[in-house]
């Protein structure tokens, strides 16, 4: 079976959400505009997530998984997904399902023209503190990167896999994916999508993760931008 699109689902202690993830992503596969499969990346969960993931994959041929030996963080989980994807397109969505898999179709409409299409969450259903800290962090990041994106933390993206695989990922740089595509002279666009409250489980990010950490990461991005190697082969003999 030839797949065109892999949806990466990072997982860390999400046992309460995973059966809902199975249903919603399974339903989405029947309406996806590309032939798609799901790749769970279990980031060293300490609950029953792995047991549930294996059961899901055993009963669904379009579901696969990777399991980390230890918790390494969201950037590492996304990077592992990028490394193991074997389809021309990839996307990712958080396992809390605060975004809808159906909205991947909105992003896929644009991926022919662009190299990364990211969602921008409308009417966010988060707390005031979370929304305010994200707004500030996005403003700081935009100033550093000049990527023009309003919501790089949105957990719904589609990327051409050859671009994604060339991204030099470090902890925290999952917030800089549009900027990293621009470093490759790729093209990016943001598309409005829906946002929903978290139904189960616990958020993994606090004030440090959303505000202070990203500010520090901006300086890492500036260093990387200065040192980044980009080339195009014109001819091979």
């Amino acid at each position: 079976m030839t797949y065109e699109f892999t949806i990466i689902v990072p997982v860390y202690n999400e046992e309460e959400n995973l059966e809902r993830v199975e249903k919603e992503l399974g339903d989405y596969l029947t309406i996806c505009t590309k032939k798609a499969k799901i790749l769970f990346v279990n980031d060293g969960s300490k609950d029953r997530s792995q047991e549930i993931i294996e059961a899901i994959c055993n009963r669904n041929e379009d579901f696969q998984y990777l399991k980390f030996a230890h918790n390494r963080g969201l950037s590492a989980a996304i990077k592992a997904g990028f490394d193991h994807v074997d389809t021309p397109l990839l996307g990712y969505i958080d396992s809390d399902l605060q975004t809808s898999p159906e909205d991947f179709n909105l992003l896929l409409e644009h991926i022919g023209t662009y190299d990364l299409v990211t969602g921008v969450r409308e009417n966010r259903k988060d707390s005031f503190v979370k929304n305010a800290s994200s707004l500030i962090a996005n403003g700081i990041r935009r100033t550093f990167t000049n990527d023009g994106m309003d919501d790089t933390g949105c957990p719904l993206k589609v990327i051409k896999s050859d671009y994604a695989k060339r991204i030099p990922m470090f902890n925290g740089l999952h917030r800089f994916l549009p900027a990293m595509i621009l470093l490759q002279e790729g093209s990016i666009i943001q598309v409005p999508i829906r946002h929903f409250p978290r139904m189960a489980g616990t958020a993994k990010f606090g004030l440090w993760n959303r505000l202070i950490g990203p500010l520090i990461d901006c300086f890492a991005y500036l260093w990387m931008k200065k040192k980044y190697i980009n080339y195009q082969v014109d001819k091979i003999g």
Side-chain angles (χ1 to χ4, degrees), residues 51-237:
E51 176 186 339
I52 298 169
I53 287 170
E54 291 187 25
I56 291 171
C57 293
N58 285 337
R59 58 181 175 254
N60 296 279
E61 64 176 356
D62 298 324
F63 286 67
Q64 303 170 349
Y65 72 85
L66 302 174
K67 178 182 178 295
F68 283 3
H70 306 286
N71 175 242
R72 288 294 180 258
L74 181 57
S75 291
I78 292 172
K79 170 62 172 169
F82 289 177
D83 289 344
H84 286 81
V85 160
D86 59 2
T87 53
L89 298 175
L90 63 85
Y92 80 84
I93 186 171
D94 278 355
S95 50
D96 60 17
L97 289 183
Q98 287 193 256
T99 53
S100 171
E102 292 180 7
D103 287 346
F104 272 123
N105 282 351
L106 299 176
L107 308 189
L108 288 167
E109 288 179 13
H110 301 274
I111 198 62
T113 304
Y114 296 90
D115 302 305
L116 175 146
V117 186
T118 183
V120 55
R121 292 166 285 189
E122 290 193 319
N123 303 313
R124 286 185 63 174
K125 304 299 190 296
D126 287 322
S127 68
F128 172 80
V129 171
K130 185 174 181 179
N131 285 336
S133 59
S134 293
L135 183 64
I136 294 168
N138 274 302
I140 294 170
R141 177 201 40 73
R142 253 192 329 271
T143 300
F144 276 78
T145 65
N146 196 32
D147 62 10
M149 299 289 102
D150 297 316
D151 186 17
T152 61
C154 177
L156 199 76
K157 290 179 172 63
V158 174
I159 314 173
K160 290 178 179 173
S161 297
D162 56 343
Y163 280 84
K165 289 177 180 292
R166 292 196 297 265
I167 294 174
M169 289 285 284
F170 295 88
N171 283 335
L173 284 188
H174 61 274
R175 304 179 186 91
F176 292 80
L177 294 180
M180 299 308 294
I181 299 300
L182 290 178
L183 283 185
Q184 299 179 47
E185 299 181 359
S187 56
I188 62 177
I189 190 174
Q190 58 185 3
V191 175
I193 63 164
R194 298 168 292 170
H195 190 246
F196 305 92
R198 177 182 266 272
M199 301 297 292
T202 304
K204 308 302 186 296
F205 292 91
L207 183 61
W208 169 266
N209 309 82
R210 296 193 194 100
L211 193 55
I212 309 302
L215 175 60
I216 295 171
D217 293 338
C218 284
F219 292 98
Y221 166 78
L222 290 181
W223 176 87
M224 185 180 302
K225 182 178 180 180
K226 183 178 180 180
K227 302 291 185 179
Y228 188 75
I229 295 172
N230 190 38
Y231 66 90
Q232 293 181 333
V233 175
D234 181 57
K235 189 175 182 181
I236 298 176

